[in-house]
Amino acid sequence: MAKAKVAKRPTRDEFELEELGNQLVEAKNEDSEIVLTVWGWEEQVRGRIVNMDSRTKLVHIEGEQQLTKVPFMDIMKVEYPRD
């Protein structure tokens, strides 16, 4: 039986990446709470964007108890919590 291969990160075109970037900038500017679906992560990341580091390409999300740094290229979806 062959071992399961780790799925490669899906590729996205420039339009999709730009749209994602726009959503993140808007959420940061409005200080909105967001939920991120991150490629390869079991759990979604929930919180507010406190920094978007263009040098490291990490999005810093302040959650309830911690700061999580998410690689921009691994963010698959940006949503607003429904509760």
Side-chain angles (χ1 to χ4, degrees):
M1 204 159 165
K3 256 195 332 193
K5 284 190 189 134
V6 176
K8 283 185 17 196
R9 179 193 318 138
T11 54
R12 279 129 343 132
D13 63 26
E14 289 297 314
F15 176 77
E16 289 173 285
L17 293 172
E18 188 177 331
E19 183 62 32
L20 200 61
N22 291 342
Q23 289 176 309
L24 293 170
V25 168
E26 186 178 307
K28 183 179 188 311
N29 290 343
E30 294 175 358
D31 196 32
S32 301
E33 186 175 41
I34 56 170
V35 178
L36 298 180
T37 301
V38 184
W39 176 82
W41 293 25
E42 296 258 326
E43 295 181 17
Q44 292 182 310
V45 179
R46 181 173 178 155
R48 288 183 162 70
I49 298 172
V50 292
N51 187 23
M52 291 175 29
D53 191 328
S54 58
R55 190 177 56 79
T56 61
K57 296 189 175 35
L58 292 174
V59 179
H60 300 207
I61 308 289
E62 183 81 63
E64 287 185 18
Q65 302 294 320
Q66 66 187 16
L67 179 70
T68 306
K69 296 179 181 180
V70 182
F72 172 72
M73 291 303 288
D74 288 350
I75 297 172
M76 302 276 73
K77 191 159 62 169
V78 178
E79 297 173 286
Y80 292 90
R82 293 195 228 336
D83 50 27

